[in-house]
Amino acid sequence: MEAKARSGLLETYLERRAALMRFFATRTGSDALAEDIVQDIFLKLEAMSPEAVGEVQSPAAFLYRLGSNIMLDRARGRHRSERRDNEWVKAAGLHGVGDAVADEPSAEDAAWARLKLARVITAIRDLPPNAQTAFRLHKLQGLTHAEAAETMGMSRSAVEKYVSAALRHLLREVGWP
């Protein structure tokens, strides 16, 4: 009987998973958070005792209630965390220190970054053509070594060596970030 009840509850979960995702995405404003909540529903279902599973009268309503409780617990936890952080800031005497944090770097940081970028570009241009191409394909375009090798018509090992040589050259010419 209990195995049948668990099976029915899991079947209802699987049937309603997409609807649960939409429901919680709408409530939270985040697909990722909705996915986490729906996954947590499944984990809670798996962890339920046979007695608790047997007491579920309306599986669909139970899933939505369980998800809502998870969502509320997360919101409460976030609120507690923010409150704790604010109390710590007050206790540490840092109140007002981080309130005016700019989203943009300072003028000095921006100038330094432009200079560093110019040095990187120059160092890449100084590379031999194959090393330059391998580096651009792998590091800038995000291709794997194998994909870069196929594009360049050479072995994966050769691409790995070119990328490694390019990185050593950049480290020598530009330094560590």
Side-chain angles (χ1 to χ4, degrees):
M1 175 71 177
E2 292 163 357
K4 185 178 179 185
R6 180 176 301 279
S7 175
L9 192 55
L10 290 174
E11 186 176 307
T12 302
Y13 169 83
L14 292 173
E15 289 171 357
R16 302 211 178 221
R17 190 175 192 294
L20 288 164
M21 281 290 300
R22 286 190 303 273
F23 180 83
F24 291 110
T26 301
R27 302 289 176 295
T28 63
S30 166
D31 288 341
L33 189 53
E35 180 69 40
D36 288 346
I37 291 168
V38 172
Q39 181 64 33
D40 284 351
I41 292 171
F42 178 78
L43 294 174
K44 296 247 187 218
L45 293 177
E46 285 292 310
M48 285 176 65
S49 69
E51 298 81 25
V53 170
E55 291 178 14
V56 175
Q57 299 297 317
S58 175
F62 178 76
L63 294 174
Y64 284 96
R65 172 54 62 197
L66 183 58
S68 294
N69 289 345
I70 292 168
M71 182 177 63
L72 288 173
D73 286 346
R74 285 173 175 254
R76 286 182 188 126
R78 198 169 43 253
H79 181 69
R80 279 192 305 272
S81 177
E82 289 171 1
R83 194 173 42 211
R84 182 183 58 242
D85 291 348
N86 288 337
E87 290 300 319
W88 182 86
V89 167
K90 286 180 196 172
L94 300 174
H95 188 67
V97 171
D99 293 344
V101 175
D103 288 339
E104 296 180 16
S106 67
E108 295 85 11
D109 288 343
W112 180 85
R114 280 192 296 276
L115 289 172
K116 190 84 162 186
L117 180 60
R119 290 179 63 199
V120 168
I121 290 169
T122 301
I124 291 172
R125 286 183 182 149
D126 290 343
L127 291 169
N130 281 343
Q132 202 177 109
T133 303
F135 179 82
R136 288 178 193 268
L137 290 173
H138 180 64
K139 291 296 185 183
L140 302 179
Q141 293 182 12
L143 298 179
T144 64
H145 288 135
E147 292 168 336
E150 186 178 322
T151 301
M152 294 177 70
M154 59 179 58
S155 71
R156 192 188 80 179
S157 174
V159 168
E160 289 172 351
K161 289 176 186 174
Y162 282 130
V163 170
S164 180
L167 290 172
R168 278 193 309 275
H169 176 73
L170 284 169
L171 189 58
R172 215 176 24 254
E173 296 298 314
V174 180
W176 191 254

